[in-house]
Amino acid sequence: MRMTAFEDVSLRALMLLAANDTGVPLATRTIADGVGTPYNHVSKAVLRLRELGYVEATRGRSGGVQLSEAGRKATVGGVLRALDTREDLAECETPNGDCPLSIQCGLRGALRRAREAFYRELDSVVVSSLPHERQMGPVLVRIGLRPPA
């Protein structure tokens, strides 16, 4: 199973927000700098995470993004499941249209079950438990949330 770039950026943004122990909401640009991803990609991810209820975002000078209560409890499996927009993992099309083998295809069902097994395995991993000091410390210093050591 392969995550999309959008799912990857979304999970990294959630991890950074989970590591933010300042209590101060982060600007989307700060999140982009922290996760090493272009601002426009992160802003789309933050918008979707807000729609899903994982983050709270406020506009204005003192605004920013922070984890919601649901975001603090979110699992990797749940987040990926919510972000996954693909109907099928297999591209069941040929240059001439739909695959002639698609009627009662066993492959599509097997791939759906495999995807769900992938998510189920990640349902026990809480996103906010993933960041640790050794990993996030240098990032938090780089984006100005902590003074240099």
Side-chain angles (χ1 to χ4, degrees):
M1 179 77 199
R2 187 179 179 113
M3 290 187 336
T4 65
F6 184 76
E7 292 164 342
D8 178 51
V9 168
S10 298
L11 283 173
R12 286 192 279 149
L14 288 172
M15 288 175 61
L16 179 61
L17 291 169
N20 177 19
D21 56 7
T22 65
V24 177
L26 299 182
T28 305
R29 187 150 320 271
T30 302
I31 297 169
D33 291 344
V35 300
T37 303
Y39 170 79
N40 60 333
H41 295 209
V42 173
S43 63
K44 290 176 187 175
V46 166
L47 178 63
R48 183 68 180 130
L49 292 170
R50 183 173 173 254
E51 290 169 354
L52 292 169
Y54 295 128
V55 300
E56 296 169 347
T58 52
R59 291 179 179 242
R61 187 174 178 177
S62 61
V65 182
Q66 57 191 8
L67 279 183
S68 66
E69 188 60 33
R72 280 187 269 289
K73 296 176 182 176
T75 66
V76 174
V79 171
L80 291 177
R81 197 179 279 111
L83 293 173
D84 192 350
T85 58
R86 299 168 291 184
E87 261 185 59
D88 286 314
L89 293 176
E91 297 293 328
C92 296
E93 295 177 6
T94 65
N96 300 326
D98 287 342
C99 173
L101 306 176
S102 65
I103 298 171
Q104 294 184 337
C105 178
L107 177 61
R108 292 169 92 178
L111 290 172
R112 257 188 244 113
R113 289 189 303 278
R115 176 172 49 188
E116 186 52 37
F118 174 77
Y119 294 146
R120 258 194 323 273
E121 186 65 29
L122 296 169
D123 280 340
S124 63
V125 181
V126 177
V127 177
S128 62
S129 72
L130 293 173
H132 52 83
E133 180 58 32
R134 189 167 174 206
Q135 169 195 36
M136 300 305 289
V139 174
L140 297 174
V141 169
R142 186 168 42 87
I143 61 175
L145 293 179
R146 290 205 183 137

